């Protein structure tokens, strides 16, 4: 007999892609093993069959019927029936019947029932035990009975082993289906119905569950904090709670776990970046302590990575607004989870700029700075500002600036202005100041060996060597990072910032980003290359003249221009008269309403334009600005008036000859022309500061003090001199200090108690004396049952 062929087709290429090689090999091995075992079984059965036939032939038993004789069909069957009818078994003797049974037992293998007798060659093996004989009876070639039998365990007695069987009951399929249908409603009735909880019970149950989860989170967190290296695996257990499936507490638990993990990572992360081990490092033998540290670092990095992926997925789910299959968290809860995830990312951005995956956090945070949700946008912008302010080296700042610049360009400059306003918090200016001080105070140079040999003795050289070694160590301990590295990073950062600014100035001049760009240029203008100054001033002037800018934007243009000219621009021979004229003619756009906040920018512009450029400013220009500023102080808020008067005080000190404005007598020819827009030709020397006398009676006490101080010529000493808290502060600082943005008055108004009012409010002074006497008389009388008639009494008293 041939072995069965494997009809199963070879798996297709698509299935092979889905199934791994190892799985295919295992399947092939299992299939081969199955085929071998089947063949082995089949050979064994054939061998047993051949052996049984050989034994039967060697005995030569007399068969009951000659198998070679052909039956003549129906005729033979009828003869057999007639013989059976003629000779029934009942009429046979018991000895003959027993003989027939014995002969049947000795019948050949091919004519007997194998299941009902022992093998023919049983007599050859006399010494075999009864159990071995039973075991050698072939069971695989049993004839299938009409009724299915269940084989039970055999019984052994004196006569031998008695096989035990039982007929399998045949169940009608239709009846079975009916029974099942009958059973189903019974099962339904057996199941206990779910108890419906009331709202109060539901809240109590939720509170209990929440308390359990909180305790579990606290236990895991405290275990990790107590020994991070040993309990690093508990981070995974805590992170698995981010997939909380109980719909009652799922949202709250997930939020708690997000915040807990964020605080844990802030506490247990080392102050260095963990790099992956090389193959050589993995193969080398190390101490147990080192191995434990490596395992801790690997576990920490992997769990931190998975945590960040979970936060990113929460934000994506909120953005896509797709409900998940589990339906544990509702769509409404997605926003709350996303806000907590964003807050955690912002905290990690600021707290772990040195650790792994910081660039990944930056890539997640920067697009959220331009998010539709104002809360999330402000949260991300504040985090970036905080990072810029605390980043001393500049590595993290450079990474953020690169991503922001690329994002702004990719969105075609259609982003929130707050994104570019974060650039104002960069620490580039402070580092440059440190650089200048280092250039002034150059570090001490060590003596060369030749110089030492010439000037010092042997003992002195020895002491000098030890001294220089100590100085080097102290210098290394003080310096956290090399100055060169800082300057290189800051230069690269500033280049990207200016590229972004110049692109917007060139391509998107009507963009809402322009105020932020001009403000940024005003701050970093002293760091721009001198080659760009001329072109930049032309662009700024064209922007002002276009009329497309708001007042605040035009002020930023003026501020930027003078920042450029006050720094490296001193070497350029440029007269910015047009910028002076623009500021002078637009000063009266400021008032106590919406433009009050622009006063701060004006004060900064005046400081750069007049005070810092005192040598380039004529006396006529200074007089015109002082006069216009005093007029402006009359119709702005008190804090603006204080800032403007403080600026006038500084200008009167800077230009001493401007005190002629305090005199009524005019000098020179001409009449003051207040409506003229040119400060050089308005004849300001022929007027006086009469506005100061009006400001003396101002309701704000600080404005009164400044007005009186300026009328007396702004003295530095004497009774009319200002106190140090007012004189030592700049105009912008005073404007901020006395601001009324919080709806508070500084200094607070004293409560006035009028004596006249107290006298009027006393007792019965409101009433007439006669009426008082009448009331007293009636009150002293005994109460009667009759109703009192006050009108009669009043008429009598009047008569």
């Amino acid at each position: 007999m041939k072995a069965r062929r494997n009809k199963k087709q070879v798996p297709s290429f698509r299935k092979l892609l889905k199934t791994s090689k190892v799985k295919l090999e295992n399947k092939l091995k299992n299939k081969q093993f199955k085929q071998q075992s089947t063949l082995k079984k089949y050979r064994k059965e054939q061998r047993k069959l051949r052996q049984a036939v050989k034994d039967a032939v060697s005995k030569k038993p007399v068969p009951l019927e000659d198998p070679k004789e052909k039956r003549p069909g129906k005729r033979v069957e009828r003869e057999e029936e007639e013989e059976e009818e003629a000779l029934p078994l009942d009429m046979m003797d018991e000895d003959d019947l027993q003989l027939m049974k014995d002969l049947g037992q000795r019948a050949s293998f091919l004519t007997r029932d194998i299941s009902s007798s022992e093998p023919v060659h049983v007599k050859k093996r006399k010494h075999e035990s009864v159990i071995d004989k039973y075991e050698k009876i072939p069971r695989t070639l049993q004839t299938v009975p009409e009724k299915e039998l269940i084989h039970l365990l055999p019984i052994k007695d004196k006569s031998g082993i008695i096989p035990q069987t039982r007929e399998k009951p045949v169940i009608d399929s239709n009846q079975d289906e009916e029974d099942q249908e009958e059973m189903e409603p019974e099962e339904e009735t057996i199941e206990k119905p779910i108890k419906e909880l009331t709202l109060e019970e539901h809240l109590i149950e939720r509170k209990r569950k929440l308390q359990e989860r909180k305790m579990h989170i606290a236990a895991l967190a405290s275990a990790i904090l107590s020994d991070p290296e040993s309990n690093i695996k508990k981070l995974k257990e805590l992170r698995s709670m981010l997939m909380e499936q109980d719909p009652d507490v799922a949202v709250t638990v997930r939020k708690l776990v997000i915040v807990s993990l964020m605080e844990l990572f802030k506490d247990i992360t080392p102050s260095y970046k963990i790099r992956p081990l090389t193959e050589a490092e993995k193969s080398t033998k190390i101490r147990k302590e080192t191995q434990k540290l490596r395992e801790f670092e690997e576990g920490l990095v992997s769990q931190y990575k998975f945590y960040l992926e979970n936060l990113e997925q929460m934000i994506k789910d909120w953005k896509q607004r797709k409900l998940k299959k589990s339906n544990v968290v509702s769509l409404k809860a997605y926003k709350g989870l996303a806000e907590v995830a964003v807050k955690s990312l912002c905290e990690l951005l600021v707290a772990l700029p040195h650790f792994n995956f910081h660039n990944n956090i930056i890539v997640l945070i920067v697009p959220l700075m331009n998010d539709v949700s104002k809360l999330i946008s402000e949260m991300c912008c504040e985090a970036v500002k905080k990072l810029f302010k605390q980043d001393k080296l500049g590595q993290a700042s450079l990474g953020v600036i690169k991503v922001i610049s690329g994002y702004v360009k990719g969105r075609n400059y259609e982003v929130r202005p707050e994104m570019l306003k974060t650039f104002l918090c960069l620490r580039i200016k402070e580092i440059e100041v440190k650089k200048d001080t280092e250039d002034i105070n150059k570090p001490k140079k060590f003596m060369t060996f030749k110089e030492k040999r010439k000037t010092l003795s042997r003992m002195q050289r020895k002491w000098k060597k030890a001294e220089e070694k100590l100085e080097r160590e102290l210098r290394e301990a003080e310096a956290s990072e090399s100055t060169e590295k800082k300057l290189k990073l800051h230069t690269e950062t500033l280049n990207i910032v200016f590229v972004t600014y110049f692109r917007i100035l060139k391509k998107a001049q009507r963009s809402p980003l322009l105020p932020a760009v001009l403000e940024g240029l005003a701050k970093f203008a002293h760091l721009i290359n001198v080659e760009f100054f001329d072109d930049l001033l032309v662009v700024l002037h064209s922007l002002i003249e276009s009329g497309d800018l708001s007042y605040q934007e035009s002020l930023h243009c003026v501020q930027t221009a003078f920042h450029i000219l006050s720094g490296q621009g001193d070497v350029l021979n440029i007269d910015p008269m047009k910028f002076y004229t623009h500021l002078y003619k637009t000063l009266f756009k400021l008032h106590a309403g919406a433009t009050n906040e622009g006063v701060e920018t004006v004060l900064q512009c005046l400081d750069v334009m007049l005070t810092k450029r005192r040598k380039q400013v004529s006396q006529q220009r200074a007089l015109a600005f002082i006069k216009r500023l005093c007029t402006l102080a009359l119709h702005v808020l008190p804090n603006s008036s204080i800032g403007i008067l403080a600026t006038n005080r500084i200008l009167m000190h800077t230009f001493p000859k401007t005190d002629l404005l305090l005199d009524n007598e005019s000098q020179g020819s001409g009449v003051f022309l207040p409506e003229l827009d040119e400060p050089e030709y308005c004849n300001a020397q022929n007027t006086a500061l009469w506005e100061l006398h009006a400001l003396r009676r101002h309701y704000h006490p600080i404005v009164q003090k400044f007005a009186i101080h300026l009328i007396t010529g702004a003295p530095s000493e004497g009774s009319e001199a200002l106190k140090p808290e007012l004189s030592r502060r700049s105009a912008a600082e005073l404007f901020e200090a006395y601001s009324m943005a919080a709806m508070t008055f500084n200094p607070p108004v004293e409560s006035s108690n009028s004596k006249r009012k107290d006298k009027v409010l006393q007792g019965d002074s409101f009433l007439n004396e006669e009426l008082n006497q009448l009331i007293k008389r009636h009150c002293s009388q005994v109460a009667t049952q009759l109703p009192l008639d006050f009108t009669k009494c009043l008429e009598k008293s009047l008569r």
Side-chain angles (χ1 to χ4, degrees):
M1 187 176 175
K2 292 181 181 180
R4 280 181 284 175
R5 289 182 183 178
N6 185 17
K7 292 182 182 179
K8 196 171 182 181
Q9 293 180 354
V10 180
S12 63
F13 181 73
R14 194 174 289 175
K15 285 185 179 178
L16 284 171
L17 284 175
K18 291 181 182 178
T19 316
S20 64
K21 288 182 181 179
V22 179
K23 200 171 180 182
L24 285 171
E25 287 173 5
N26 289 342
K27 278 187 176 180
L28 194 63
K29 283 178 184 175
N30 290 339
K31 203 184 294 176
Q32 289 174 354
F33 181 79
K34 203 172 182 180
Q35 286 175 357
Q36 286 172 4
S37 61
T38 310
L39 284 169
K40 214 171 182 181
K41 234 180 208 179
Y42 180 74
R43 287 194 202 105
K44 196 173 181 181
E45 287 169 2
Q46 290 293 319
R47 204 182 298 121
K48 281 183 180 179
L49 193 62
R50 284 196 296 273
Q51 188 65 38
V53 170
K54 279 180 186 176
D55 291 345
V57 170
S58 62
K59 281 266 183 180
K60 291 182 183 179
V62 180
L64 295 173
E65 291 178 27
D66 190 3
K68 290 179 183 180
E69 285 181 9
K70 293 180 182 179
R71 296 180 182 180
K74 293 179 181 179
R75 187 180 170 186
V76 176
E77 288 175 4
R78 283 174 190 166
E79 286 176 2
E80 285 175 358
E81 285 173 6
E82 287 173 1
E83 284 176 4
E84 284 174 4
E85 286 173 5
L87 189 64
L89 288 173
D90 296 346
M91 294 176 67
M92 292 177 71
D93 295 334
E94 287 181 5
D95 296 336
D96 295 334
L97 191 60
Q98 186 63 37
L99 182 65
M100 289 290 287
K101 284 180 181 177
D102 292 340
L103 286 171
Q105 289 290 334
R106 296 194 197 104
S108 70
F109 183 82
L110 298 174
T111 57
R112 66 194 175 83
D113 188 2
I114 300 168
S115 62
S116 60
S117 61
E118 292 179 342
V120 181
H121 54 280
V122 72
K123 289 184 181 179
K124 283 189 174 182
R125 303 173 185 177
K126 292 178 183 178
H127 303 291
E128 281 186 350
S129 65
V130 182
I131 297 167
D132 291 341
K133 283 180 189 176
Y134 178 80
E135 288 296 330
K136 290 194 177 177
I137 296 170
R139 300 178 184 84
T140 52
L141 294 177
Q142 289 178 356
T143 55
V144 182
E146 290 178 2
K147 290 184 180 180
E148 197 174 350
L149 299 174
I150 298 170
H151 293 276
L152 305 175
L153 289 172
I155 300 167
K156 182 184 175 185
D157 61 356
K158 292 179 181 179
S159 60
I161 288 174
I162 305 162
Q164 299 287 319
T165 56
R166 192 178 69 190
E167 289 182 7
K168 189 175 181 180
V170 181
I171 302 165
D172 189 8
S173 60
N174 297 328
Q175 187 67 27
D176 191 21
E177 286 175 6
E178 288 173 6
D179 292 343
Q180 283 181 357
E181 287 174 3
E182 289 173 3
M183 286 293 288
E184 280 175 3
E186 288 178 7
E187 287 175 0
E188 286 175 6
T189 54
I190 291 165
E191 287 181 3
K192 291 181 181 178
I194 299 165
K195 187 183 177 183
E196 290 185 5
L197 300 174
T198 61
L199 182 61
E200 189 180 354
E201 289 173 346
H202 188 77
L203 288 171
I204 293 166
E205 182 65 18
R206 182 183 179 279
K207 192 176 179 182
R208 185 189 63 76
K209 288 178 184 176
L210 202 58
Q211 190 63 28
E212 283 180 7
R213 304 294 196 284
K214 282 180 181 177
M215 293 299 292
H216 189 49
I217 292 167
L220 289 172
S222 58
I224 294 162
L225 283 173
S226 60
D227 190 3
E229 289 187 8
S230 302
N231 299 323
I232 193 65
K233 290 181 180 177
K234 291 190 177 180
L235 265 178
K236 187 178 180 181
E237 188 180 346
L238 184 56
R239 194 178 57 79
S240 66
M241 292 181 75
L242 283 171
M243 299 297 120
E244 177 64 46
Q245 296 301 314
D246 192 341
D248 289 343
V249 294
V251 178
T252 311
V253 169
R254 290 184 187 191
K255 286 180 181 178
L256 289 169
V257 173
I258 289 169
V259 177
S260 302
L261 281 168
M262 180 261 292
E263 293 294 339
L264 277 172
F265 282 122
K266 279 166 67 176
D267 288 338
I268 66 174
T269 46
S271 58
Y272 54 87
K273 193 172 183 178
I274 298 168
R275 61 173 180 81
L277 298 172
T278 59
E279 292 297 327
E281 286 173 336
K282 288 178 182 177
S283 59
T284 54
K285 289 183 178 180
I286 52 173
R287 292 184 301 172
K288 286 183 180 179
E289 292 82 2
T290 314
Q291 182 63 31
K292 191 177 180 182
L293 180 63
R294 281 186 182 178
E295 287 174 2
F296 165 71
E297 288 178 348
E298 285 175 6
L300 179 65
V301 169
S302 64
Q303 291 305 317
Y304 187 56
K305 181 188 173 186
F306 290 137
Y307 173 63
L308 294 177
E309 285 174 356
N310 289 336
L311 296 184
E312 184 184 5
Q313 190 59 47
M314 284 177 189
I315 297 165
K316 279 183 181 176
D317 290 344
W318 170 59
K319 288 285 181 190
Q320 294 168 357
R321 288 175 174 80
K322 287 183 180 177
L323 196 64
K324 296 207 170 182
K325 291 179 183 177
S326 59
N327 202 16
V328 174
V329 180
S330 64
L331 278 170
K332 289 180 182 178
Y334 278 3
K335 188 179 180 183
L337 280 171
E339 284 174 2
V340 177
V342 171
K343 190 176 181 181
S344 298
L345 284 170
C346 291
E347 288 281 337
L348 294 171
L349 178 80
V350 177
L352 305 175
H354 59 276
F355 198 58
N356 301 49
F357 309 114
H358 191 255
N359 290 334
N360 302 69
I361 299 173
I362 292 169
V363 172
L364 281 174
I365 291 289
V366 168
L368 294 171
M369 292 168 72
N370 191 42
D371 196 76
V372 181
S373 172
K374 193 178 179 183
L375 178 66
I376 286 177
S377 175
E378 286 177 357
M379 205 188 294
C380 295
C381 289
E382 285 301 319
V384 171
K385 285 179 184 177
K386 201 172 178 183
L387 178 68
F388 286 160
K389 285 176 184 175
Q390 72 175 29
D391 187 20
K392 294 179 181 178
L393 179 61
Q395 185 76 47
S397 300
L398 178 60
V400 177
I401 291 292
K402 280 181 179 177
V403 179
I404 290 176
S405 178
Y407 184 80
V408 172
K409 187 183 176 184
R411 293 296 299 267
N412 199 19
Y413 312 104
E414 293 179 2
V415 295
R416 284 176 178 264
E418 287 78 10
M419 284 189 79
L420 293 184
K421 283 183 180 178
T422 55
F423 291 179
L424 300 173
C425 297
L426 287 166
R427 293 189 61 175
I428 295 172
K429 193 174 180 180
E430 290 82 359
I431 297 299
E432 291 297 322
V433 171
K434 287 180 183 177
K435 176 180 173 286
D436 295 340
T437 55
E438 283 175 8
D439 288 342
I440 294 161
N441 305 318
K442 289 184 179 179
K444 184 183 174 183
K445 288 186 177 180
F446 296 115
M447 293 174 72
T448 59
F449 180 72
K450 287 182 180 179
E451 289 172 347
K452 286 177 187 176
R453 196 168 185 179
K454 283 180 183 179
T455 56
L456 303 174
S457 65
R458 189 178 176 184
M459 196 66 182
Q460 286 174 331
R461 286 201 301 270
K462 194 174 180 182
W463 278 104
K464 194 76 177 175
K465 188 178 179 182
E467 200 175 301
E468 286 176 358
K469 186 181 177 183
L470 183 63
E471 280 183 18
R472 282 196 191 96
E473 287 175 357
L474 287 169
R475 193 181 294 175
E476 285 173 6
E478 284 175 6
S480 57
E481 292 289 340
S482 65
T483 312
E484 291 178 7
K485 190 177 180 181
K486 282 183 184 178
L487 289 176
K488 190 178 178 182
L489 288 168
H490 287 309
T491 307
E492 193 177 348
T493 305
L494 203 62
N495 286 340
I496 296 167
V497 169
F498 283 139
V499 164
T500 308
Y501 284 165
F502 292 156
R503 275 178 186 158
I504 294 166
L505 278 176
K506 186 179 178 182
K507 297 181 181 179
Q509 290 187 355
R510 295 187 180 183
S511 168
L513 300 176
L514 198 60
V517 170
L518 295 170
E519 200 175 346
L521 285 171
K523 180 173 182 180
F524 302 116
H526 62 287
L527 304 171
I528 302 173
N529 196 342
V530 182
E531 296 171 2
F532 300 117
F533 282 1
D534 199 9
D535 295 333
L536 196 56
L537 286 171
V538 171
V539 171
L540 292 172
H541 185 256
S542 64
L543 283 170
I544 292 170
E545 291 296 319
S546 66
D548 295 330
L549 303 182
S550 66
Y551 183 62
Q552 189 78 13
E553 290 168 6
S554 64
L555 287 177
H556 283 306
C557 280
V558 174
Q559 191 181 4
T560 305
F562 282 98
H563 268 294
I564 289 169
L565 294 172
S566 64
Q568 301 174 43
D570 286 337
V571 296
L572 300 174
N573 189 17
I574 299 170
D575 184 19
M577 186 60 199
K578 48 198 171 185
F579 292 105
Y580 281 103
T581 305
H582 174 74
L583 183 65
Y584 182 77
K585 72 181 180 183
T586 57
L587 273 176
F588 286 144
K589 288 186 179 180
L590 296 170
H591 50 75
T595 58
N596 184 67
E597 292 301 318
V599 174
E600 187 176 7
T601 313
V602 168
L603 296 175
Q604 291 170 358
C605 289
L606 290 168
D607 182 48
V608 180
M609 293 166 71
L610 300 172
T611 310
K612 291 183 178 176
R613 288 176 60 85
R614 59 173 68 90
K615 292 180 182 179
Q616 287 88 3
V617 177
S618 64
Q619 188 178 346
Q620 290 291 329
R621 205 180 296 176
L623 288 167
F625 269 100
I626 289 171
K627 175 62 180 174
R628 185 153 284 200
L629 285 170
C630 278
T631 310
L632 179 64
L634 290 171
H635 54 269
V636 288
L637 291 178
N639 62 328
S640 302
S641 293
I642 294 166
I644 289 166
L645 293 175
T647 302
N648 272 350
R649 175 179 174 273
I650 293 164
L651 291 175
M652 289 173 79
H653 286 167
T654 308
F655 303 97
K657 291 182 181 180
T658 55
D659 60 352
L660 59 90
L661 291 172
L662 301 173
D663 196 356
N664 289 335
E665 294 179 4
S666 61
Q667 295 182 2
S669 61
V671 180
F672 176 57
L673 303 170
E675 72 280 358
L676 195 67
D677 292 336
E678 290 293 334
E680 294 285 344
Y681 310 111
C682 66
N683 298 323
Q685 75 278 1
N686 293 326
T687 186
L689 299 177
W690 55 265
E691 294 89 355
L692 294 175
H693 290 278
L695 290 168
R696 283 178 69 180
R697 295 185 294 276
H698 198 277
Y699 64 88
H700 200 286
I702 307 297
V703 177
Q704 292 175 14
K705 285 181 183 178
F706 266 100
I708 295 164
H709 175 70
L710 291 176
I711 286 169
T712 54
S716 301
E717 295 176 351
S719 60
E720 302 302 331
L722 291 175
K723 291 180 180 179
E725 61 264 18
L726 296 175
S727 61
R728 291 179 182 178
R729 295 166 89 176
S730 66
E733 287 173 353
L734 288 166
F735 171 82
E736 193 65 36
Y738 292 97
S739 173
M740 298 177 71
M743 300 303 289
T744 54
F745 195 78
N746 185 17
V749 181
E750 294 179 4
S751 58
S752 58
N753 297 322
S754 175
K755 292 181 181 178
R756 186 181 174 186
K757 193 179 282 186
D758 293 343
K759 191 175 181 181
V760 170
L761 290 170
Q762 282 177 0
D764 302 328
S765 57
F766 287 112
L767 306 174
N768 192 3
E769 290 181 7
E770 291 180 359
L771 185 60
N772 279 330
Q773 290 173 5
L774 186 65
I775 291 167
K776 285 177 183 177
R777 190 170 66 247
H778 279 286
C779 287
S780 60
Q781 286 177 3
V782 181
T784 58
Q785 292 181 356
L786 296 171
L788 296 172
D789 192 354
F790 284 98
T791 55
K792 288 179 182 179
C793 296
L794 189 62
E795 285 174 2
K796 286 177 183 177
S797 63
L798 289 171
R799 286 172 190 172

